[in-house]
Amino acid sequence: MAKKLVIKVTAGADAPERCSQAFTVAAVAAASGVEVSLWLTGESSWFALPGRAAEFELPHAAPLPDLIGSVQAAGRITLCTQCAARREITEGDLIEGVRIAGAQVFLSEIMEDGVQALVY
């Protein structure tokens, strides 16, 4: 099993099943003791803002705020720098514990030994 899991989620409300799958896998991995780094890009960027995850609904899926809480308890959530800039999101807008970082940081994370990267 990978020592660390890096998940990039590109989907938001525009592709709810894909979005939910990414957050679910991240939360289950974190709960299983895997080090998790979840990257919010594209339409998932909006979930870095307070209250936005609560607006997301998908039948038979765990609530997104619960999944985010699980990831934050045992891992890290990062918002893509360019995605944030395109949406005029600043660090002051984010839910507590989310950072903004770019491609260089993402690349350094996925190139480490023992890392598995997934993109949704």
Side-chain angles (χ1 to χ4, degrees):
M1 181 181 286
K3 296 176 187 171
K4 182 175 181 180
L5 180 61
V6 179
I7 298 175
K8 180 183 273 194
V9 55
T10 62
D14 59 325
E17 289 183 312
R18 189 163 30 112
C19 175
S20 180
Q21 289 169 2
F23 281 94
T24 300
V25 168
V28 169
S32 299
V34 176
E35 182 182 350
V36 175
S37 177
L38 179 65
W39 283 73
L40 306 178
T41 67
E43 286 304 300
S44 73
S45 299
W46 297 113
F47 298 127
L49 299 175
R52 289 294 184 100
E55 297 172 3
F56 180 86
E57 291 185 19
L58 181 64
H60 309 290
L64 209 54
D66 294 349
L67 298 174
I68 289 171
S70 295
V71 173
Q72 285 185 305
R76 163 170 266 162
I77 298 178
T78 304
L79 172 60
C80 162
T81 301
Q82 291 180 12
C83 299
R86 280 189 282 276
R87 290 160 180 81
E88 299 180 355
I89 299 172
T90 66
E91 287 197 14
D93 299 324
L94 303 177
I95 57 177
E96 187 175 338
V98 175
R99 70 175 176 168
I100 295 177
Q104 180 180 4
V105 175
F106 178 78
L107 184 62
S108 71
E109 285 189 14
I110 64 170
M111 295 305 294
E112 294 173 8
D113 288 336
V115 173
Q116 173 68 51
L118 302 173
V119 179
Y120 285 87

